[in-house]
Amino acid sequence: MSGLRVEVEASRGRFHLGVSLRVGPGEVVAVLGPNGSGKSTLLAVVSGLLRPDSGVVEVGGRAVTDLPPDRRRVGLLAQDALLFPHLTAEANVAFGPRSRGVGKRAAHAAARDWLAQVGAAEFADRRPSALSGGQAQRVALARALAAAPDVLLLDEPFAALDVDATPALRGVVRRVLGRQTALLVTHDPLDALALADRVVVLGSGAIVEQGPTREVLSRPRTAFTARIAGLNLIPGTAVPGGLRTADGALVAAATPGPVDEPAVAVFRPADVSVHPGPVDGSQRNTASAQVSALEPHGDTIRVRLTGPGWAAGLAADLTPAAVADLALEPGSRVHIRVKAVAVAVHGSAGGSAWVASRAWCGRT
Amino acid sequence: MTRPVRTGLPVLLWVPAVAALALVVLPVVGLLGRADLAALPGKVAGPGALAALRLSVETAAVSTALCLVLGGPLAVVLARSRVRGVRLLRAVVLLPLVLPPVVGGLALLYLLGRNGLLGSQLPGVRIPYTTAAVIIAQTFVAMPFLVVGLEGALRTAGERYEAVAATLGARPWTVFRRVTVPLVLPAVGSGLVLSFARALGEFGATITFAGSLEGVTRTLPLQVYLLAETDVDGAVALSLLLVVLAVLVIAVARPRAVEGLR
Amino acid sequence: MRKLALVAAAALALAGCGSIGAAKTLTVFAAASLTESFTALAEEFEADNAGVEVVVNFAGSSALAQQIGEGAAVDVFASADEGNMGKVADQVLPAQVFATNRLVVVTPPGNPARVAGLADLARDGLAVVLCAPQVPCGSASVRVEEAAGVDILPVSEEQDVKAVLTKVRLGEADAGLVYVTDAQAAGDEVGVIDFPESEGAVNPYPIAMLENAPQPGLAAKFLALVTGADGQAELGRAGFGTP
C-alpha cells in the first residue's frame, strides 16, 4: 500500500495553487471546493498533465514530479467515462494491464474479474455506444482499477449520471475502493460522507479546512463548507454568550466559542423562522431581510436571504404551506429570528478562511 | 402500413440538392451518350491505353501510400503539437489545393528540375521525365485531402482519450497505436480514398513536371488528353474507364473504411 | 441535339462579337500558329473593306476541324496541316497551300549541351523533348527523323509546340524540335539551330473556303489577300515559307 504526498506551487494563468496534502496508504480523501478553487489544477498536477512551478509529488514514496502521466501509476476516473469507443468493455478494462506488459489472456481474465466486481460482467462484449451512462461509468471504474494504480483520482465521478444511477454506483465505488489510496473531488457532501475518511476544503488555491469528514461537515468554518453541508454560517469574533459580527451586532449562541478569537456562528436553515412583520424586540437574534431566491429543497423550500446586517447570505427552510401563507417571492421584505439554542460558535481558521468565504460569496 | 416519421428535412433543400447532383452526374451521362459503346472494348484494350491504365493505377497507389506515410504524421503534428507557428503551417498545407496544378508542376520543376533549388544540388540524378516524377506530382496535389481530413478528425476526437490511456500506463507509442489511430481510422479511410481519386485524375502537375511518355509518365488522363487530338471516341472511352475506376475504388473502399468500426 | 447545342453556342458567340455596328461579318478559323500574321491580315482586310468585320477564331487545327464538323458557321478555314483539312474535305471547296512551316532545333540559351544539328539529338544522355506523333508538329518530327535516318528517343512527348518550348526554355530539356515560327516568336529565350533535313518534312498550311460559307464573296477576297503579295509578305515576317 502506498500513499500520496503533494507539496506544490503551481500556476495557470493568473491562478495560483499552493497546497500541502497527504493521503495515507489506503486512505480516501475528499477534496471539496467551489469552482475555481483549484481542484482541477490539483488533479492535473497529481496525474501529471500539469507540471508544478515548484514542489514535489510523491506516490508510494517515489518522487513522480517530473514523470509523464504514463509512468506515475496514478489512475483517473473522470466525470465522463471516456471508454475507448473502438474497444469492447472487456478490452477497455484490459487496456491498462496490456499497456503494462501483461499477456493478452491474463489481461482479459483480470478484466472479466474487475467487471464482475463492479457489477458489469454482463456488458463485457458490448461496445461503449451500447452502454448507459451508469454502465459506462462502472466499466470505466473497472478499467481504472485494473491498471493497478498506486493512487486513484476520482474527478466528480457521479456528476454526469442520472440521479437514479448515482446511489448504486456510489455503493459500488465504496465497495471496490477497499484499501485503494484515493483522492476524490466532489461537490456533493454525500459523496464525501459515504466514501471519504477525511475532507480537504480548497478555496482560492489554498487549503482552508481539513479534518475527518463528519467533523468538517458538521462544524464548517467557511461559507463554502457550510453551504455544501447545508448550514448557515456567520463570521465574526467569539464573545461571551455568542459572536460579535464585523459591524458590531451580537449573535447569541447556546454553545459559545474561544472568546476574542476569530470564529463562526453555525446553525441549520430549519432553525431560521421567517415573519411578515417586526418580531418582538425583546427577542434575541432578530433581523430584517429581503428574499433573494426560492429553491425547492426536498420537502421544503429553501428561502435565500439578503439584508443589511448578518442576515445577508443566510438560508431558511420553510414548508410550502408557510411560503404560501407569507406570500413570499423574490424581493419580499421579511423579518427573521434564530433561536440562540440552535446556534453554535466555532473558532475559525482566521484570515484565510474569511477571504475564502468572501471570494465564494462574491460569486453567488 | 405504419411508417416511422422522420423530422426536419426542409423541402427547400431538395432543389439545390438535385441541382448539385445533376451538375455532377449529367456530364458523365453526356460522356456515355457520346461513347460508341460497341467500339469501347477495342479502344480500352489499345496498347497505349493499357499501358496508361497500368501506370495510372500503380502510380496512384504509390502516391496514396506516400500520402499516408508522410501526410498522416503531418496531420498528427498539426493537430497535436503546441509549437508556435503550427497554425501558419496548416495554411501552407492547403497550398496545393489552391494552386492551379500546372503551376504546381512548374513549382516542382523549379525545385527538383535540373536547374531547380534542390535538383541542381543532385548531379547525376534526374527527376523530371521519370515515373518518380509522376508520383511526386500526384502526392503533391493529393496530400492535402488526407492531411486536412485527418487533422479535422483528430481535433474532433480530442486528446481526452489519449490522456486517459496515459493514466492507464500506456506509453506514447502505445497510445498512438491503440487509441489515436483506431479513433481516426474512418477519417484515414476516407482520406485515402479521396487522395487516390485525386492522384488518379491528376493531369496538370504531371504533364508539366513529368512530361508525357508512354509507359513511363503518360498516365490515363494524359493519354485521354493526347487522344482527344486525333481520336475523340478513344478519348471518351478512356475517360469512361477512368470514371469506372474511380467509382469502383470509392464504392469498394469507402463504406468499409468509414463504417467498418461503427 | 448535341450538334444543335454546339451550333447555338457558336452562333451566340459570333453574334456577340460581330453585331457591333458592322454590316457584314467574315468568320475565319485559323491554326494557333497563325495568330500574329492573321491578326495583322484581318486588320488590313477590314481597312480595305469598309463595314466588314473579320472575326478570327485561333485554336489547334484539330479542335477547329472538329467544330466545323459539328456544323459551326464559318467562311474560311486555315489549317496547320493537311490531315485536319482532310477531315472536313466534304464541307470545303478545294484547298490551296498558302504557307509552309518547317522544324528547327531549339536549345536553352547558350546551348549548354552543345547541340550542333539534328543528328546530335540521338546522342546518349541528351534530354530531348518532342511533340507527340499524334499532333501535327509530332508527325512532322517523325518525318524529319525518317528523312534524316536519325532515331531520337525523347524523354517526353508533349501535347503541343508551346509545351516543348517551355521545357527547353526552363533548361529542363537540352533540345527540342519546334516550328521555325514558334522558335522565332520565342525570341532570345531559346537558341535556334537550322538543319538541312527539315526540308524533307516541310509542313504545308492549306486554306479553303467553306461550301456553305455565309459570306462567300468576302471569303474569296480574304483568300486572295492571304495568297497575294501582301499576305505572303506578312507570313514571311512571321517565319513561314512560301509554297
Side-chain angles (χ1 to χ4, degrees):
Chain A
M1 271 307 141
S2 48
L4 169 71
R5 184 168 79 93
V6 185
E7 266 165 50
V8 293
E9 305 275 322
S11 39
R12 258 182 180 175
R14 299 172 75 182
F15 178 79
H16 183 257
L17 174 80
V19 294
S20 171
L21 174 72
R22 275 168 193 272
V23 182
E27 194 183 21
V28 178
V29 171
V31 178
L32 301 173
N35 290 330
S37 62
K39 292 176 308 206
S40 53
T41 305
L42 175 64
L43 284 191
V45 165
V46 176
S47 62
L49 299 174
L50 191 70
R51 183 155 297 193
D53 300 334
S54 63
V56 65
V57 178
E58 257 179 33
V59 172
R62 296 178 293 131
V64 299
T65 324
D66 296 321
L67 293 183
D70 52 289
R71 293 171 184 269
R72 292 194 166 204
R73 303 191 71 93
V74 172
L76 176 67
L77 179 66
Q79 232 176 71
D80 300 320
L82 293 177
L83 297 178
F84 306 127
H86 56 286
L87 299 178
T88 62
E90 184 175 308
N92 262 281
V93 179
F95 187 93
R98 293 279 285 135
S99 297
R100 301 209 163 176
V102 175
K104 188 166 189 175
R105 191 179 295 259
H108 277 260
R112 281 192 295 277
D113 198 39
W114 277 109
L115 282 172
Q117 290 204 43
V118 300
E122 59 199 289
F123 312 132
D125 296 329
R126 290 210 200 154
R127 299 254 180 200
S129 55
L131 297 176
S132 74
Q135 292 164 352
Q137 198 65 327
R138 279 170 196 247
V139 176
L141 175 65
R143 179 177 65 175
L145 291 169
D150 287 343
V151 173
L152 179 62
L153 306 177
L154 301 132
D155 186 5
E156 309 218 18
F158 315 120
L161 298 185
D162 289 345
V163 180
D164 298 344
T166 304
L169 188 59
R170 194 186 283 128
V172 170
V173 171
R174 185 184 168 84
R175 201 175 64 240
V176 297
L177 278 188
R179 293 286 297 154
Q180 173 74 54
T181 308
L183 200 59
L184 164 73
V185 164
T186 180
H187 269 111
D188 189 340
L190 274 180
D191 291 346
L193 283 168
L195 303 172
D197 303 306
R198 267 193 312 129
V199 167
V200 168
V201 181
L202 278 184
S204 299
I207 293 174
V208 292
E209 244 183 297
Q210 58 181 317
T213 309
R214 267 165 213 290
E215 199 174 300
V216 169
L217 290 179
S218 59
R219 304 180 61 186
R221 289 148 194 266
T222 64
F224 170 76
T225 319
R227 184 177 177 118
I228 64 163
L231 296 172
N232 282 316
L233 176 144
I234 302 170
T237 308
V239 294
L243 173 117
R244 181 77 62 191
T245 64
D247 53 6
L250 177 74
V251 178
T255 319
V259 172
D260 285 342
E261 286 191 14
V264 288
V266 176
F267 48 95
R268 295 182 305 134
D271 294 322
V272 180
S273 57
V274 177
H275 308 271
V279 188
D280 178 359
S282 68
Q283 300 267 17
R284 292 188 296 174
N285 294 354
T286 62
S288 65
Q290 198 172 352
V291 175
S292 62
L294 299 168
E295 301 159 1
H297 189 257
D299 294 338
T300 64
I301 292 182
R302 179 154 290 180
V303 180
R304 299 228 172 255
L305 301 163
T306 63
W310 52 264
L314 297 187
D317 283 354
L318 304 182
T319 62
V323 171
D325 278 352
L326 293 164
L328 294 185
E329 55 183 37
S332 299
R333 296 192 173 278
V334 294
H335 287 78
I336 63 164
R337 186 167 84 84
V338 185
K339 287 181 196 138
V341 69
V343 180
V345 174
H346 312 298
S348 73
S352 65
W354 179 224
V355 168
S357 68
R358 275 258 287 265
W360 174 72
C361 287
R363 206 169 267 115
T364 316
Chain B
M1 185 90 175
T2 316
R3 287 187 309 165
V5 178
R6 284 206 159 182
T7 51
L9 185 59
V11 178
L12 203 61
L13 291 186
W14 278 98
V15 179
V18 168
L21 197 66
L23 187 61
V24 174
V25 172
L26 289 186
V28 180
V29 172
L31 210 55
L32 271 172
R34 169 77 205 227
D36 179 0
L37 291 175
L40 220 62
K43 302 280 188 194
V44 169
L50 280 182
L53 172 66
R54 195 182 148 166
L55 183 68
S56 265
V57 172
E58 285 173 357
T59 52
V62 176
S63 305
T64 308
L66 272 180
C67 283
L68 181 65
V69 171
L70 302 176
L74 176 58
V76 176
V77 168
L78 287 181
R80 293 287 186 261
S81 168
R82 291 184 185 85
V83 177
R84 276 165 186 276
V86 162
R87 194 172 290 190
L88 187 75
L89 277 184
R90 206 176 305 146
V92 171
V93 170
L94 293 178
L95 222 55
L97 283 183
V98 190
L99 231 49
V102 173
V103 178
L106 274 179
L108 285 172
L109 269 185
Y110 291 144
L111 177 71
L112 298 171
R114 190 191 283 180
N115 302 321
L117 277 176
L118 260 179
S120 56
Q121 308 300 312
L122 304 168
V125 181
R126 176 192 288 154
I127 298 172
Y129 314 121
T130 62
T131 305
V134 176
I135 291 168
I136 291 172
Q138 288 176 349
T139 308
F140 174 78
V141 295
M143 183 99 80
F145 289 86
L146 186 109
V147 174
V148 170
L150 191 52
E151 196 217 336
L154 281 163
R155 285 180 178 281
T156 309
E159 295 176 55
R160 302 193 307 163
Y161 291 108
E162 290 157 17
V164 167
T167 66
L168 293 171
R171 302 284 189 263
W173 183 247
T174 309
V175 175
F176 178 73
R177 199 170 47 83
R178 292 204 57 207
V179 177
T180 312
V181 170
L183 279 179
V184 297
L185 210 54
V188 171
S190 58
L192 285 179
V193 169
L194 280 178
S195 301
F196 185 80
R198 180 66 188 85
L200 201 60
E202 164 36 44
F203 171 75
T206 308
I207 201 165
T208 310
F209 178 49
S212 171
L213 195 66
E214 185 176 316
V216 181
T217 55
R218 188 174 295 153
T219 55
L220 215 42
L222 271 61
Q223 177 76 14
V224 168
Y225 184 52
L226 183 60
L227 225 52
E229 201 66 34
T230 50
D231 177 9
V232 176
D233 291 338
V236 169
L238 285 196
S239 306
L240 283 175
L241 183 63
L242 205 53
V243 170
V244 168
L245 207 60
V247 168
L248 217 67
V249 166
I250 290 169
V252 170
R254 192 158 184 164
R256 280 190 205 164
V258 174
E259 288 145 25
L261 286 160
R262 288 294 140 120
Chain C
M1 266 309 281
R2 200 177 54 248
K3 287 186 179 179
L4 209 73
L6 233 159
V7 173
L12 226 83
L14 296 179
C17 304
S19 63
I20 308 158
K24 291 176 181 173
T25 300
L26 178 73
T27 306
V28 178
F29 274 20
S33 48
L34 294 167
T35 304
E36 283 170 20
S37 38
F38 265 44
T39 303
L41 287 176
E43 278 169 17
E44 189 179 334
F45 191 77
E46 282 173 356
D48 294 348
N49 299 275
V52 174
E53 188 181 4
V54 183
V55 174
V56 193
N57 179 12
F58 295 109
S61 300
S62 61
L64 294 174
Q66 195 186 339
Q67 284 173 36
I68 292 170
E70 306 267 11
V74 184
D75 294 297
V76 176
F77 176 36
S79 168
D81 67 337
E82 290 181 311
N84 281 305
M85 186 59 87
K87 285 186 198 164
V88 294
D90 54 343
Q91 285 170 271
V92 296
L93 298 175
Q96 67 183 111
V97 173
F98 67 97
T100 60
N101 213 343
R102 59 194 171 80
L103 296 175
V104 291
V105 174
V106 283
T107 66
N111 191 4
R114 307 200 185 290
V115 176
L118 184 69
D120 278 357
L121 300 195
R123 222 159 66 189
D124 258 1
L126 204 69
V128 179
V129 177
L130 302 179
C131 287
Q134 289 88 336
V135 298
C137 62
S139 60
S141 302
V142 172
R143 287 203 306 278
V144 164
E145 287 178 65
E146 280 166 0
V150 177
D151 190 12
I152 304 172
L153 289 175
V155 291
S156 179
E157 295 170 352
E158 300 291 332
Q159 190 77 15
D160 52 42
V161 180
K162 303 277 181 237
V164 174
L165 270 175
T166 301
K167 294 234 155 62
V168 170
R169 204 159 46 200
L170 291 175
E172 293 303 334
D174 296 313
L177 283 179
V178 301
Y179 286 125
V180 62
T181 53
D182 293 294
Q184 191 170 322
D188 296 342
E189 295 184 346
V190 293
V192 179
I193 301 159
D194 227 329
F195 57 94
E197 296 91 335
S198 73
E199 297 299 338
V202 167
N203 208 42
Y205 278 48
I207 190 166
M209 62 181 280
L210 276 88
E211 258 173 10
N212 51 358
Q215 302 285 349
L218 288 174
K221 278 176 87 174
F222 188 78
L223 249 62
L225 171 66
V226 171
T227 51
D230 281 4
Q232 292 299 303
E234 188 64 49
L235 287 161
R237 273 194 285 281
F240 287 102
T242 46

